Amino acid sequence: MPIPVVWSPETRRHEPMREVWVGVPTEGTELPERVDRILAATAGHERVEATAHDDEVLRRVHAPAFVDHLSTIHAAWMQGPYVELVGQDRVVPYVFPTPAMTQGMPPTRAAATHGRAGQFGYDTMTLVGAGTWEAARAAVDCALSAVDLVGAGAAAAYALCRPPGHHATRDGYGGSCYLNNAAVAAEALRDAGHATVAVVDLDAHHGNGTQAIFWERADVRYGSLHVDPGAGWFPHFFGHAHETGAGPGEGATRNLPLAEGAGDGPWLEAVRGLTAYAAGADALVVSLGVDAAAEDPESPLQVTADGYAAAGRLLGSLGLPAVVVQEGGYHLDTIGGLVAAYLDGHEQGRAG
Amino acid sequence: MPIPVVWSPETRRHEPMREVWVGVPTEGTELPERVDRILAATAGHERVEATAHDDEVLRRVHAPAFVDHLSTIHAAWMQGPYVELVGQDRVVPYVFPTPAMTQGMPPTRAAATHGRAGQFGYDTMTLVGAGTWEAARAAVDCALSAVDLVGAGAAAAYALCRPPGHHATRDGYGGSCYLNNAAVAAEALRDAGHATVAVVDLDAHHGNGTQAIFWERADVRYGSLHVDPGAGWFPHFFGHAHETGAGPGEGATRNLPLAEGAGDGPWLEAVRGLTAYAAGADALVVSLGVDAAAEDPESPLQVTADGYAAAGRLLGSLGLPAVVVQEGGYHLDTIGGLVAAYLDGHEQGRAG
């Protein structure tokens, strides 16, 4: 039986349309149409509209001050002079309290909206517009509704989350991510009684946000394969093999960086490694980015739809209750097929 | 005798021409022409061309890795794909390892030039172009040459530094500043045997960089008056009255934030406060920003040329060996006169 697809029409409301990269406004690739393409390709799956969930789990995964910021910053922005001064109707930070700026001095909360923006947003390419909060919050409802389905007996459920989430930390957003849907799913699976949860991140980029959220925890493992940040890829500062967690979480984080150009061979070898790593957990969250595909404009990996199907079979074979959460994937003509290939593979692996 | 003006033609070589503010490329105001306007208005002063100094003091004030970065980043940038991809020939960071991103995880040095840029640059409006390093380094030579003049017996010397420096921290640049000329001057005055040095910062913005560099030191005091960051002004996170230093430097930092719209009255009251604060030091560095002037596009303060002259008289009356270092001031038609007014006032105050 095909894995049910949980979605929300609200996730279309985030319309960044552009990203600011090295100071240049460029066309965005994380578009609302991604939702429709994935829905179309999964038409044979049961479709479940997400139901509203309260903020309880969300505010455990993310700092309440961060949730408050993200849910109000665009309205505050529109009260400011930014449209009038420079025509900017989306929130884009311009100054960032990095260690290079703060130097150990305790910073005070910025009074100006354009100052405060950089306290939570850590890059210039993750714009907050009119519907961003609503979409990001709806994506969290998709993840939580998928957890509900699994709690009600489904072997697996897929949450068509948009915007993606794995770069969102406890109190930071970036990398086109705002709220960490996968982390919320993992936390909710823990609440549902699964003693340990493994998050396996197949996105082409390292999920620094998810890693950060569970960095010091042993009950949620985080394993990721991704293009090597050491080769110059986002998130640049994280995703290296030497990052393995800290404190009680020491050893619970695993990173398998891949060379630029890596295709199905090395990619599936890494998926096998993460499958073994996830074995023994009580539940599984898959951060399903399909931007490792050859056609994708945002990564240099060369994975095929067959590769994604094989990854699904490997992770499905674990037989764990599983929530599959959409992350990246930006080539509109192929992302639907790639998601469907993974989901079919996962189902086969589980059944087989 | 008019205060000598130390300058370097190299300081014209920094041509940012634009700033990226809240994601929008805007026209820059920190223009090479500032040098010529100030030179023209101080034509009656002895003019001294800066001489080359080695990096010894510079690399005590700034981290060697930072100096290495700043001196090489533009060449590295031009080796990258940034011009080809998006037409960007200046270094502009896009991702920043803020605490919101790093969350206590130790970041690894970014491999990509566009990633590494955000490790040292803390905003998007401080662009590094072809001549930026040469100009910033020449500005440091101006400051050091001014210290030399004072060491050789001049009562005071003025360093026509451009780009400005007071937002540059030990290993960060931002706010149109790259190397901290005032901090280098203070350090060199210490080396010259002055047991304590007071840095008085008259720029319209708080000099977070200078504050950071001397935050834990008692031998260099930092006092600043500036438009209140709590009213929404750069550097947003710093410059509040409660910031007074730490460790051995506790109490050696003083901030006097002013309300938007403050004119000569409250501004000179604050200058009097800082004059009293600097009294008892063995040498004085004045961070002379003239952007507190009413005409200036970059601040809401309303100080007049008479106000700057009066400030000069107050600080000059201390009778301390003094190095006056140029910081901000962006209204081309008036900055020269404002600088001249300060310098004349300082000389009068000293003589009087």
Short mmCIF file of all heavy atoms in Angstrom, two decimals, chain A residues 250-309:
data_model
loop_
_atom_site.label_atom_id
_atom_site.label_comp_id
_atom_site.label_asym_id
_atom_site.label_seq_id
_atom_site.Cartn_x
_atom_site.Cartn_y
_atom_site.Cartn_z
N GLU A 250 27.59 12.46 22.29
CA GLU A 250 28.86 12.10 21.65
C GLU A 250 28.71 10.75 20.94
O GLU A 250 28.30 9.76 21.55
CB GLU A 250 29.98 12.03 22.69
CG GLU A 250 31.34 11.63 22.15
CD GLU A 250 31.86 12.55 21.07
OE1 GLU A 250 31.96 13.76 21.32
OE2 GLU A 250 32.15 12.05 19.95
N GLY A 251 29.01 10.73 19.66
CA GLY A 251 28.91 9.52 18.87
C GLY A 251 27.55 9.32 18.22
O GLY A 251 27.39 8.42 17.37
N ALA A 252 26.57 10.13 18.58
CA ALA A 252 25.22 9.96 18.04
C ALA A 252 25.00 10.72 16.74
O ALA A 252 23.96 10.61 16.11
CB ALA A 252 24.17 10.37 19.08
N THR A 253 25.98 11.52 16.34
CA THR A 253 25.92 12.23 15.05
C THR A 253 26.90 11.56 14.10
O THR A 253 28.02 11.22 14.49
CB THR A 253 26.31 13.71 15.26
OG1 THR A 253 25.29 14.36 16.02
CG2 THR A 253 26.49 14.43 13.93
N ARG A 254 26.45 11.34 12.87
CA ARG A 254 27.36 10.77 11.87
C ARG A 254 27.25 11.51 10.56
O ARG A 254 26.15 11.68 10.03
CB ARG A 254 27.06 9.28 11.65
CG ARG A 254 28.06 8.64 10.68
CD ARG A 254 28.13 7.15 10.84
NE ARG A 254 28.34 6.75 12.24
CZ ARG A 254 28.35 5.48 12.66
NH1 ARG A 254 28.15 4.49 11.79
NH2 ARG A 254 28.54 5.21 13.94
N ASN A 255 28.38 11.95 10.04
CA ASN A 255 28.40 12.67 8.77
C ASN A 255 29.24 11.92 7.75
O ASN A 255 30.38 11.55 8.02
CB ASN A 255 28.98 14.08 8.97
CG ASN A 255 27.98 14.99 9.66
OD1 ASN A 255 26.90 15.21 9.14
ND2 ASN A 255 28.35 15.51 10.83
N LEU A 256 28.65 11.73 6.57
CA LEU A 256 29.34 11.07 5.48
C LEU A 256 29.41 12.01 4.28
O LEU A 256 28.57 11.97 3.38
CB LEU A 256 28.61 9.78 5.10
CG LEU A 256 28.41 8.75 6.23
CD1 LEU A 256 27.62 7.54 5.75
CD2 LEU A 256 29.76 8.30 6.79
N PRO A 257 30.41 12.90 4.28
CA PRO A 257 30.52 13.83 3.15
C PRO A 257 30.99 13.12 1.88
O PRO A 257 31.81 12.20 1.94
CB PRO A 257 31.56 14.85 3.64
CG PRO A 257 32.21 14.27 4.84
CD PRO A 257 31.42 13.10 5.32
N LEU A 258 30.44 13.54 0.76
CA LEU A 258 30.75 12.92 -0.53
C LEU A 258 31.43 13.93 -1.44
O LEU A 258 31.17 15.13 -1.38
CB LEU A 258 29.46 12.44 -1.20
CG LEU A 258 28.66 11.38 -0.44
CD1 LEU A 258 27.31 11.17 -1.09
CD2 LEU A 258 29.45 10.07 -0.39
N ALA A 259 32.25 13.40 -2.32
CA ALA A 259 32.95 14.27 -3.28
C ALA A 259 31.96 14.85 -4.27
O ALA A 259 30.94 14.23 -4.59
CB ALA A 259 34.04 13.47 -4.00
N GLU A 260 32.27 16.02 -4.78
CA GLU A 260 31.50 16.60 -5.88
C GLU A 260 31.45 15.57 -7.02
O GLU A 260 32.44 14.91 -7.31
CB GLU A 260 32.18 17.87 -6.38
CG GLU A 260 32.14 19.02 -5.39
CD GLU A 260 32.91 20.24 -5.91
OE1 GLU A 260 34.02 20.04 -6.43
OE2 GLU A 260 32.39 21.37 -5.78
N GLY A 261 30.31 15.45 -7.63
CA GLY A 261 30.19 14.55 -8.77
C GLY A 261 29.83 13.12 -8.40
O GLY A 261 29.61 12.29 -9.29
N ALA A 262 29.77 12.82 -7.11
CA ALA A 262 29.45 11.46 -6.69
C ALA A 262 28.07 11.05 -7.21
O ALA A 262 27.11 11.82 -7.13
CB ALA A 262 29.50 11.34 -5.16
N GLY A 263 27.97 9.84 -7.75
CA GLY A 263 26.71 9.32 -8.28
C GLY A 263 26.19 8.17 -7.43
O GLY A 263 26.56 8.03 -6.25
N ASP A 264 25.35 7.34 -8.03
CA ASP A 264 24.67 6.29 -7.27
C ASP A 264 25.62 5.40 -6.47
O ASP A 264 25.31 5.02 -5.33
CB ASP A 264 23.86 5.41 -8.22
CG ASP A 264 22.59 6.11 -8.71
OD1 ASP A 264 22.33 7.24 -8.25
OD2 ASP A 264 21.89 5.53 -9.56
N GLY A 265 26.78 5.08 -7.05
CA GLY A 265 27.70 4.15 -6.38
C GLY A 265 28.09 4.62 -4.99
O GLY A 265 27.68 4.01 -3.98
N PRO A 266 28.86 5.67 -4.90
CA PRO A 266 29.27 6.14 -3.57
C PRO A 266 28.10 6.63 -2.72
O PRO A 266 28.12 6.49 -1.49
CB PRO A 266 30.25 7.28 -3.87
CG PRO A 266 30.07 7.62 -5.31
CD PRO A 266 29.52 6.42 -5.99
N TRP A 267 27.09 7.16 -3.37
CA TRP A 267 25.94 7.68 -2.62
C TRP A 267 25.22 6.53 -1.92
O TRP A 267 24.91 6.62 -0.72
CB TRP A 267 25.00 8.44 -3.57
CG TRP A 267 23.93 9.25 -2.89
CD1 TRP A 267 24.08 10.46 -2.28
CD2 TRP A 267 22.53 8.92 -2.80
NE1 TRP A 267 22.86 10.90 -1.80
CE2 TRP A 267 21.89 9.98 -2.11
CE3 TRP A 267 21.76 7.84 -3.23
CZ2 TRP A 267 20.51 9.98 -1.84
CZ3 TRP A 267 20.39 7.85 -2.97
CH2 TRP A 267 19.78 8.90 -2.28
N LEU A 268 24.97 5.44 -2.65
CA LEU A 268 24.27 4.31 -2.03
C LEU A 268 25.14 3.60 -1.01
O LEU A 268 24.64 3.06 -0.01
CB LEU A 268 23.79 3.33 -3.11
CG LEU A 268 22.56 3.84 -3.88
CD1 LEU A 268 22.27 2.95 -5.09
CD2 LEU A 268 21.34 3.90 -2.95
N GLU A 269 26.44 3.62 -1.23
CA GLU A 269 27.35 3.07 -0.22
C GLU A 269 27.16 3.84 1.10
O GLU A 269 27.08 3.24 2.18
CB GLU A 269 28.80 3.21 -0.72
CG GLU A 269 29.84 2.62 0.21
CD GLU A 269 29.65 1.12 0.41
OE1 GLU A 269 29.17 0.44 -0.53
OE2 GLU A 269 29.94 0.65 1.53
N ALA A 270 27.04 5.14 0.99
CA ALA A 270 26.82 5.97 2.19
C ALA A 270 25.43 5.71 2.77
O ALA A 270 25.25 5.65 3.99
CB ALA A 270 26.99 7.45 1.85
N VAL A 271 24.43 5.52 1.91
CA VAL A 271 23.09 5.21 2.41
C VAL A 271 23.13 3.89 3.19
O VAL A 271 22.50 3.75 4.24
CB VAL A 271 22.04 5.14 1.27
CG1 VAL A 271 20.69 4.69 1.82
CG2 VAL A 271 21.91 6.50 0.58
N ARG A 272 23.88 2.93 2.66
CA ARG A 272 24.02 1.66 3.39
C ARG A 272 24.65 1.90 4.76
O ARG A 272 24.21 1.34 5.77
CB ARG A 272 24.87 0.66 2.58
CG ARG A 272 24.04 -0.20 1.64
CD ARG A 272 24.88 -1.29 0.93
NE ARG A 272 25.72 -0.72 -0.11
CZ ARG A 272 25.33 -0.50 -1.37
NH1 ARG A 272 24.10 -0.82 -1.75
NH2 ARG A 272 26.15 0.01 -2.25
N GLY A 273 25.64 2.74 4.80
CA GLY A 273 26.27 3.07 6.07
C GLY A 273 25.28 3.68 7.05
O GLY A 273 25.24 3.32 8.24
N LEU A 274 24.44 4.58 6.56
CA LEU A 274 23.48 5.23 7.45
C LEU A 274 22.35 4.28 7.82
O LEU A 274 21.76 4.40 8.91
CB LEU A 274 22.92 6.49 6.79
CG LEU A 274 23.94 7.62 6.60
CD1 LEU A 274 23.26 8.84 5.97
CD2 LEU A 274 24.63 8.01 7.91
N THR A 275 22.05 3.35 6.95
CA THR A 275 21.02 2.35 7.27
C THR A 275 21.50 1.49 8.45
O THR A 275 20.76 1.24 9.42
CB THR A 275 20.73 1.47 6.05
OG1 THR A 275 20.31 2.31 4.97
CG2 THR A 275 19.63 0.45 6.35
N ALA A 276 22.74 1.07 8.36
CA ALA A 276 23.31 0.28 9.46
C ALA A 276 23.33 1.11 10.74
O ALA A 276 23.06 0.61 11.84
CB ALA A 276 24.73 -0.17 9.09
N TYR A 277 23.65 2.38 10.58
CA TYR A 277 23.73 3.29 11.72
C TYR A 277 22.37 3.48 12.37
O TYR A 277 22.25 3.61 13.60
CB TYR A 277 24.30 4.60 11.21
CG TYR A 277 24.12 5.79 12.09
CD1 TYR A 277 24.94 5.99 13.20
CD2 TYR A 277 23.14 6.73 11.79
CE1 TYR A 277 24.78 7.10 13.99
CE2 TYR A 277 22.98 7.86 12.57
CZ TYR A 277 23.79 8.03 13.68
OH TYR A 277 23.64 9.14 14.45
N ALA A 278 21.31 3.47 11.55
CA ALA A 278 19.95 3.68 12.08
C ALA A 278 19.37 2.40 12.67
O ALA A 278 18.41 2.45 13.46
CB ALA A 278 19.03 4.21 10.99
N ALA A 279 19.92 1.27 12.29
CA ALA A 279 19.39 -0.01 12.78
C ALA A 279 19.47 -0.03 14.31
O ALA A 279 20.45 0.41 14.91
CB ALA A 279 20.20 -1.17 12.20
N GLY A 280 18.41 -0.51 14.91
CA GLY A 280 18.40 -0.55 16.37
C GLY A 280 17.64 0.60 16.98
O GLY A 280 17.26 0.55 18.15
N ALA A 281 17.42 1.66 16.19
CA ALA A 281 16.56 2.73 16.69
C ALA A 281 15.12 2.22 16.71
O ALA A 281 14.80 1.19 16.11
CB ALA A 281 16.67 3.97 15.82
N ASP A 282 14.26 2.95 17.39
CA ASP A 282 12.86 2.52 17.50
C ASP A 282 11.96 3.19 16.48
O ASP A 282 10.82 2.76 16.27
CB ASP A 282 12.36 2.81 18.92
CG ASP A 282 13.23 2.11 19.96
OD1 ASP A 282 13.27 0.86 19.94
OD2 ASP A 282 13.90 2.80 20.74
N ALA A 283 12.44 4.23 15.89
CA ALA A 283 11.66 4.90 14.84
C ALA A 283 12.63 5.66 13.95
O ALA A 283 13.78 5.93 14.34
CB ALA A 283 10.62 5.85 15.44
N LEU A 284 12.16 5.98 12.76
CA LEU A 284 13.01 6.59 11.74
C LEU A 284 12.37 7.86 11.19
O LEU A 284 11.17 7.89 10.92
CB LEU A 284 13.21 5.57 10.60
CG LEU A 284 14.00 6.02 9.36
CD1 LEU A 284 15.48 6.22 9.69
CD2 LEU A 284 13.83 4.98 8.24
N VAL A 285 13.18 8.88 11.06
CA VAL A 285 12.78 10.06 10.28
C VAL A 285 13.75 10.15 9.10
O VAL A 285 14.97 10.07 9.30
CB VAL A 285 12.85 11.35 11.12
CG1 VAL A 285 12.62 12.59 10.24
CG2 VAL A 285 11.85 11.30 12.26
N VAL A 286 13.21 10.28 7.91
CA VAL A 286 14.05 10.46 6.73
C VAL A 286 13.90 11.90 6.25
O VAL A 286 12.78 12.35 5.97
CB VAL A 286 13.67 9.49 5.59
CG1 VAL A 286 14.55 9.73 4.36
CG2 VAL A 286 13.78 8.05 6.07
N SER A 287 15.01 12.63 6.23
CA SER A 287 15.00 13.97 5.63
C SER A 287 15.26 13.77 4.15
O SER A 287 16.39 13.58 3.71
CB SER A 287 16.09 14.84 6.26
OG SER A 287 15.58 15.60 7.33
N LEU A 288 14.15 13.78 3.38
CA LEU A 288 14.23 13.41 1.97
C LEU A 288 14.44 14.64 1.10
O LEU A 288 13.49 15.25 0.62
CB LEU A 288 12.95 12.67 1.54
CG LEU A 288 12.91 12.23 0.08
CD1 LEU A 288 14.06 11.28 -0.25
CD2 LEU A 288 11.56 11.60 -0.26
N GLY A 289 15.70 15.01 0.95
CA GLY A 289 16.03 15.98 -0.09
C GLY A 289 16.30 15.21 -1.36
O GLY A 289 16.97 14.18 -1.32
N VAL A 290 15.76 15.69 -2.47
CA VAL A 290 16.04 15.01 -3.75
C VAL A 290 16.94 15.88 -4.63
O VAL A 290 17.01 15.70 -5.84
CB VAL A 290 14.73 14.61 -4.48
CG1 VAL A 290 14.00 13.53 -3.69
CG2 VAL A 290 13.82 15.81 -4.73
N ASP A 291 17.66 16.78 -3.98
CA ASP A 291 18.58 17.65 -4.72
C ASP A 291 19.94 17.01 -4.97
O ASP A 291 20.82 17.63 -5.57
CB ASP A 291 18.75 19.00 -4.02
CG ASP A 291 19.02 18.85 -2.52
OD1 ASP A 291 19.04 17.70 -2.02
OD2 ASP A 291 19.21 19.88 -1.86
N ALA A 292 20.11 15.76 -4.52
CA ALA A 292 21.33 15.04 -4.89
C ALA A 292 21.24 14.51 -6.32
O ALA A 292 22.20 13.96 -6.85
CB ALA A 292 21.56 13.87 -3.92
N ALA A 293 20.08 14.71 -6.94
CA ALA A 293 19.88 14.19 -8.30
C ALA A 293 20.74 14.95 -9.31
O ALA A 293 21.04 16.13 -9.13
CB ALA A 293 18.40 14.30 -8.68
N ALA A 294 21.07 14.25 -10.37
CA ALA A 294 21.97 14.81 -11.39
C ALA A 294 21.44 16.11 -11.97
O ALA A 294 22.20 17.04 -12.24
CB ALA A 294 22.17 13.77 -12.50
N GLU A 295 20.12 16.19 -12.16
CA GLU A 295 19.55 17.37 -12.84
C GLU A 295 19.47 18.58 -11.92
O GLU A 295 19.21 19.70 -12.39
CB GLU A 295 18.12 17.06 -13.32
CG GLU A 295 18.00 15.95 -14.33
CD GLU A 295 18.01 14.56 -13.70
OE1 GLU A 295 18.10 14.45 -12.45
OE2 GLU A 295 17.94 13.58 -14.45
N ASP A 296 19.62 18.38 -10.62
CA ASP A 296 19.33 19.47 -9.71
C ASP A 296 20.33 20.62 -9.85
O ASP A 296 21.54 20.41 -9.92
CB ASP A 296 19.33 18.96 -8.26
CG ASP A 296 18.58 19.91 -7.35
OD1 ASP A 296 19.18 20.90 -6.89
OD2 ASP A 296 17.37 19.68 -7.13
N PRO A 297 19.81 21.87 -9.84
CA PRO A 297 20.71 23.02 -10.01
C PRO A 297 21.48 23.39 -8.74
O PRO A 297 22.41 24.19 -8.81
CB PRO A 297 19.74 24.16 -10.36
CG PRO A 297 18.45 23.79 -9.70
CD PRO A 297 18.39 22.29 -9.79
N GLU A 298 21.14 22.81 -7.60
CA GLU A 298 21.71 23.27 -6.34
C GLU A 298 22.78 22.36 -5.75
O GLU A 298 23.25 22.60 -4.65
CB GLU A 298 20.59 23.49 -5.30
CG GLU A 298 19.54 24.51 -5.70
CD GLU A 298 20.05 25.95 -5.72
OE1 GLU A 298 21.19 26.17 -5.29
OE2 GLU A 298 19.31 26.83 -6.19
N SER A 299 23.11 21.29 -6.45
CA SER A 299 24.18 20.45 -5.94
C SER A 299 24.89 19.74 -7.07
O SER A 299 24.33 19.54 -8.14
CB SER A 299 23.65 19.42 -4.93
OG SER A 299 23.56 18.14 -5.53
N PRO A 300 26.13 19.34 -6.81
CA PRO A 300 26.93 18.69 -7.85
C PRO A 300 26.87 17.16 -7.79
O PRO A 300 27.65 16.51 -8.47
CB PRO A 300 28.33 19.18 -7.53
CG PRO A 300 28.33 19.22 -6.03
CD PRO A 300 26.93 19.60 -5.61
N LEU A 301 25.98 16.61 -6.98
CA LEU A 301 25.88 15.16 -6.92
C LEU A 301 25.12 14.66 -8.15
O LEU A 301 24.45 15.43 -8.84
CB LEU A 301 25.22 14.71 -5.62
CG LEU A 301 25.98 15.13 -4.34
CD1 LEU A 301 25.26 14.65 -3.08
CD2 LEU A 301 27.42 14.63 -4.36
N GLN A 302 25.24 13.36 -8.43
CA GLN A 302 24.75 12.83 -9.71
C GLN A 302 23.90 11.59 -9.49
O GLN A 302 24.01 10.59 -10.21
CB GLN A 302 25.96 12.47 -10.60
CG GLN A 302 26.88 13.65 -10.89
CD GLN A 302 26.24 14.68 -11.82
OE1 GLN A 302 25.45 14.33 -12.70
NE2 GLN A 302 26.54 15.95 -11.61
N VAL A 303 23.04 11.66 -8.49
CA VAL A 303 22.21 10.51 -8.15
C VAL A 303 21.04 10.41 -9.14
O VAL A 303 20.55 11.42 -9.64
CB VAL A 303 21.72 10.63 -6.69
CG1 VAL A 303 20.80 9.47 -6.31
CG2 VAL A 303 22.93 10.69 -5.75
N THR A 304 20.59 9.17 -9.39
CA THR A 304 19.48 8.94 -10.33
C THR A 304 18.21 8.59 -9.55
O THR A 304 18.24 8.33 -8.34
CB THR A 304 19.80 7.77 -11.27
OG1 THR A 304 19.82 6.56 -10.47
CG2 THR A 304 21.14 7.95 -11.97
N ALA A 305 17.09 8.52 -10.28
CA ALA A 305 15.84 8.07 -9.66
C ALA A 305 15.98 6.63 -9.17
O ALA A 305 15.45 6.26 -8.11
CB ALA A 305 14.68 8.20 -10.64
N ASP A 306 16.71 5.82 -9.91
CA ASP A 306 16.96 4.45 -9.44
C ASP A 306 17.73 4.47 -8.11
O ASP A 306 17.49 3.63 -7.23
CB ASP A 306 17.78 3.68 -10.48
CG ASP A 306 16.93 3.26 -11.68
OD1 ASP A 306 15.68 3.37 -11.59
OD2 ASP A 306 17.52 2.84 -12.69
N GLY A 307 18.64 5.41 -8.00
CA GLY A 307 19.39 5.54 -6.75
C GLY A 307 18.46 5.88 -5.59
O GLY A 307 18.55 5.28 -4.50
N TYR A 308 17.56 6.81 -5.82
CA TYR A 308 16.61 7.16 -4.75
C TYR A 308 15.71 5.97 -4.40
O TYR A 308 15.40 5.74 -3.22
CB TYR A 308 15.80 8.41 -5.13
CG TYR A 308 16.50 9.68 -4.69
CD1 TYR A 308 17.23 10.45 -5.59
CD2 TYR A 308 16.46 10.09 -3.36
CE1 TYR A 308 17.89 11.61 -5.18
CE2 TYR A 308 17.11 11.24 -2.93
CZ TYR A 308 17.83 11.99 -3.84
OH TYR A 308 18.48 13.13 -3.42
N ALA A 309 15.30 5.20 -5.43
CA ALA A 309 14.48 4.01 -5.16
C ALA A 309 15.26 3.01 -4.31
O ALA A 309 14.73 2.42 -3.35
CB ALA A 309 14.03 3.38 -6.47
#
